[in-house]
Amino acid sequence: MLTWMQHHKKYLVVTIWISVIAFVGAGFVGWGSYDFNTDRANAVAKVGDEKISYDEFNLKYSQLFGYYSQLNNGDYTQEQALKDGLDTQAIDELIREKLLLSYAKSLGLSVSEEEIAYDLAHQKIFQNDSGIFDKNIYYNILSRNNYTAKNYEQIIHDELLLKKINAIFNLPLKENEIEMFAASFLMQDKLKIQVVYIDDKNIPIDEKELYQTWEKNKNLYKTEPSYELATYFLEPKKMQINEKELIQFYEENKNNYKDFNGKILSLEESKDKVTKDFELSNLKVQANESYVALKKGELKFDKNITISDADIYYPLESIQKSKEKDFIKPFRFKDGYMIAQIVKINPIQTKTFEQAKKEVETIYLKEKTRKMLEEEAKKALTNFKGIDIGIYSRDSNKNTKVDDRIMNNAEFSEFLMQVFDSNKQKSYVLFDNKAIVYEISEQKLQNKEKDKIYQFIIEQSARQTKQTILKEELLKKLIELYPIKRYYKGNAS
């Protein structure tokens, strides 16, 4: 690929769009128990002739985890991801992508080396200060993120091919489709509401039902895999720095020393960091020698530790692929290098009822609360005694008729969304500890002038909905054409 780029530089001039691939600096997380036969050695699933590799699965999982973490202001844990079935969601998304890729290839669509190179050349992350693709930066970044050029360029290939197949769903909108969405978006409802509360602290826990809840969901409650390691740590010692060697090291690695604007710092500006990295580069030589000595039994490990998949400062991907007694090559750890040997692997296991009891209680109370809320909400619907809170459209803000003790702003937005997405005149919306029972007493369209204000949003919404429906219908047909084999068991299996 790089050879092609070097011979066709004149074509790599104008940027049309940039492919976005997220590098996950925190490392990947291994999930579930695997069961592979010969064909499964390098895949978690297979769609037709398209395999889904470990790398694709880990990347997709990490992207989804990052997305939900941002939505929750960083307060999103691996435990919550497990309960949400994020691993299954990652597999499902990849299967949909592979179905579309298989279909694209059957239509004769393809991606040329020129297209991959063009996209690659315009990814700013790989460009030097002059805005030109730099192969040294490219290989350096890929290496730091455990990618080979071949794997990364395959990701770009698939992404470009998906863009091509997705283009077929971009059909023009008909006038009546826009009018239908406009009417839905601009509708106003006059609402009456009644609030039903349930406090889960007052819900008694039936031990028999609690056990049944665990029995029904026990595959959701897993211990984390853990690894018992024998470790040997090396930290840099104060040494006399040869200024000439330091300058040479800086010149070879200066692209690693930039300010927030991407400008390369001078040696003086980055001297502390350069010196530290220089010492570590020398330490790596010593670490490699120690690694050989440990394998030969000439050195002894100095500490035993136990880590889990949440310990992101260790080379989890290498550890997860290794067996007991395997050695892990020197890796950066804190301010030095560490070498490890796997003493024992403790696999994922289903928690006993006692081990999982606290987690089960949470789900039990949530299910009980929801069931009781629904029962009370249905009773309230039969004998509705709501208060008038005024007229609202889909994008309305909460007014003074709706006290914060009834609904906060976020809850009110969720409430309105469900009201306008429903086709029922009387219904209810459930929250964690309350149900908002409502009745639409009157409906009318807003001033048509508002049509112009929201024209772009309405058209975008109509277009996206149409594309989604078309894609889902196509995927239903593709599932019949391309056999799907799932090798990954998942945590909910």
Side-chain angles (χ1 to χ4, degrees), residues 266-284:
S266 67
L267 176 58
E268 288 305 314
E269 292 171 318
S270 58
K271 193 159 188 178
D272 288 345
K273 181 75 168 60
V274 175
T275 302
K276 185 177 179 181
D277 289 348
F278 178 66
E279 289 174 343
L280 282 170
S281 70
N282 289 324
L283 183 65
K284 189 173 183 180

Side-chain angles (χ1 to χ4, degrees), residues 411 414-415 418-419 427-431 434-438:
E411 289 171 335
E414 172 69 17
F415 168 71
Q418 292 202 39
V419 169
S427 189
Y428 52 86
V429 175
L430 298 177
F431 292 100
K434 63 191 171 192
I436 310 296
V437 185
Y438 69 86

Side-chain angles (χ1 to χ4, degrees), residues 243-257:
E243 196 68 22
K244 187 176 178 181
E245 290 180 357
L246 187 67
I247 293 170
Q248 183 181 346
F249 178 82
Y250 167 77
E251 289 297 328
E252 291 172 354
N253 298 279
K254 62 183 178 182
N255 279 313
N256 294 333
Y257 309 104

Side-chain angles (χ1 to χ4, degrees), residues 60-73:
K60 180 66 72 176
Y61 177 87
S62 298
Q63 288 171 336
L64 287 172
F65 187 90
Y67 171 73
Y68 286 113
S69 185
Q70 285 183 350
L71 285 183
N72 291 275
N73 297 316

Side-chain angles (χ1 to χ4, degrees), residues 56-271:
E56 288 175 296
F57 170 65
N58 284 328
L59 178 60
K60 180 66 72 176
Y61 177 87
S62 298
Q63 288 171 336
L64 287 172
F65 187 90
Y67 171 73
Y68 286 113
S69 185
Q70 285 183 350
L71 285 183
N72 291 275
N73 297 316
D75 187 21
Y76 190 71
T77 63
Q78 298 293 355
E79 182 183 12
Q80 187 60 47
L82 172 65
K83 290 178 181 177
D84 292 344
L86 207 63
D87 55 336
T88 304
Q89 187 179 336
I91 292 283
D92 290 343
E93 286 200 18
L94 286 165
I95 285 173
R96 285 193 289 270
E97 289 177 8
K98 294 297 184 184
L99 284 168
L100 291 171
L101 285 170
S102 296
Y103 183 58
K105 290 174 183 177
S106 73
L107 294 177
L109 296 178
S110 62
V111 175
S112 67
E113 282 200 345
E114 290 90 338
E115 289 174 292
I116 297 172
Y118 189 90
D119 182 84
L120 189 61
H122 291 90
Q123 292 186 30
K124 290 185 178 179
I125 194 172
F126 302 132
Q127 294 175 357
N128 59 24
D129 291 340
S130 302
I132 298 170
F133 177 86
D134 188 318
K135 67 177 182 181
N136 292 324
I137 297 175
Y138 175 63
Y139 287 129
N140 191 1
I141 291 175
L142 291 188
S143 176
R144 290 206 307 266
N145 289 277
N146 298 317
Y147 272 88
T148 65
K150 182 181 178 182
N151 289 344
Y152 185 71
E153 286 161 20
Q154 182 62 44
I155 289 171
I156 296 174
H157 170 279
D158 290 351
E159 188 184 60
L160 293 175
L161 192 54
L162 283 171
K163 285 179 183 286
K164 290 186 179 185
I165 193 65
N166 280 322
I168 71 174
F169 303 113
N170 192 20
L171 298 177
L173 291 171
K174 296 177 182 178
E175 190 63 33
N176 64 337
E177 291 173 330
I178 298 175
E179 288 175 0
M180 180 184 67
F181 270 85
S184 172
F185 192 84
L186 300 174
M187 186 67 69
Q188 286 186 316
D189 290 345
K190 187 174 183 180
L191 293 168
K192 291 182 179 180
I193 65 167
Q194 181 180 341
V195 189
V196 176
Y197 293 100
I198 295 287
D199 188 349
D200 64 10
K201 292 178 182 175
N202 298 325
I203 298 175
I205 295 176
D206 184 310
E207 288 290 323
K208 185 178 179 181
E209 288 182 352
L210 191 67
Y211 183 85
Q212 289 171 347
T213 302
W214 169 78
E215 187 72 34
K216 183 174 66 175
N217 301 290
K218 63 182 178 182
N219 285 320
L220 291 174
Y221 307 109
K222 306 277 189 179
T223 61
E224 287 189 4
S226 63
Y227 312 89
E228 296 175 27
L229 307 177
T231 63
Y232 185 85
F233 181 66
L234 300 94
E235 55 185 338
K237 297 174 182 176
K238 288 296 177 184
M239 54 183 286
Q240 190 68 33
I241 302 294
N242 184 306
E243 196 68 22
K244 187 176 178 181
E245 290 180 357
L246 187 67
I247 293 170
Q248 183 181 346
F249 178 82
Y250 167 77
E251 289 297 328
E252 291 172 354
N253 298 279
K254 62 183 178 182
N255 279 313
N256 294 333
Y257 309 104
K258 296 180 180 179
D259 62 17
F260 289 114
N261 297 316
K263 181 185 175 184
I264 293 176
L265 299 170
S266 67
L267 176 58
E268 288 305 314
E269 292 171 318
S270 58
K271 193 159 188 178

